[in-house]
Amino acid sequence: MPRLKESEIIPEVIDDFHPSLLLQVSYPSNHESVSLGNTIKPADVQDTPAIELHSSGAATSTKSYTLILTDPDAPSRDDPKWSEMCHWIATNVPLTTSTSDNAADMDGGQSAGMQTVAKGLKEVVEYLGPSPPPKTGKHRYVFIVFEPADGKSDTNLTAPEDRKHWGTGKARHGIRQWAGENGLVPVGANFFYSQNEEQ
């Protein structure tokens, strides 16, 4: 949680929360893994990532979760007039059932527990690979895992009308508003930085 605060994801993107899940995100085709603020080149995050969710004890294996990817720095962190930008909404994300301490190869390999669209994740909004514009510095790309606040199903989620501002039409609006409208609360997060080579 300290890195989410240091990067100002809390409170700019989401309110403070108590995480109950460990979210692991990897891009197996490029051997990259997301690690709470590491930097990854845009070219290496164009394919839909693989996801692994581990419980810290409070979650149950019968639940499924919703995962989003948002960019609060569009077109730049200094001028976030397009933020937030919706890059992905996927549902039907289960907990990883592997009991191995090395369930995910953090060098970018894909374990049997990694969830992908091909393995049953349902996309509410199709994955859009990050493409930060030239001369806009580093962007924060934030993955957040949600569960229904009422503990019930999250299958009736509404897609935002637009990727920009998550359809709200207001700068600095996005996932917090969308999650509230859909009755979701955050239970895990991860993020990386990425920037255009032209700076």
Side-chain angles (χ1 to χ4, degrees), residues 132-139 194-199:
K135 300 181 180 179
T136 59
K138 285 188 175 182
H139 288 228
S194 194
Q195 69 178 4
N196 193 292
E197 289 185 0
E198 184 183 342
Q199 293 298 321

Side-chain angles (χ1 to χ4, degrees), residues 41-79:
K41 294 178 181 179
D44 292 336
V45 290
Q46 296 308 302
D47 295 336
T48 305
I51 306 300
E52 201 166 318
L53 293 179
H54 295 276
S55 171
S56 62
T60 62
S61 61
T62 57
K63 281 186 181 179
S64 64
Y65 299 86
T66 296
L67 175 70
I68 66 89
L69 174 60
T70 191
D71 174 6
D73 304 322
S76 72
R77 195 164 180 178
D78 292 334
D79 180 24

Side-chain angles (χ1 to χ4, degrees), residues 4 24 34 52 78-79 88 91 110-111 116 143 145 151 168 188:
L4 294 177
Q24 294 180 326
V34 176
E52 201 166 318
D78 292 334
D79 180 24
W88 195 29
T91 63
Q110 188 170 352
S111 76
T116 63
F143 290 93
V145 182
T168 67

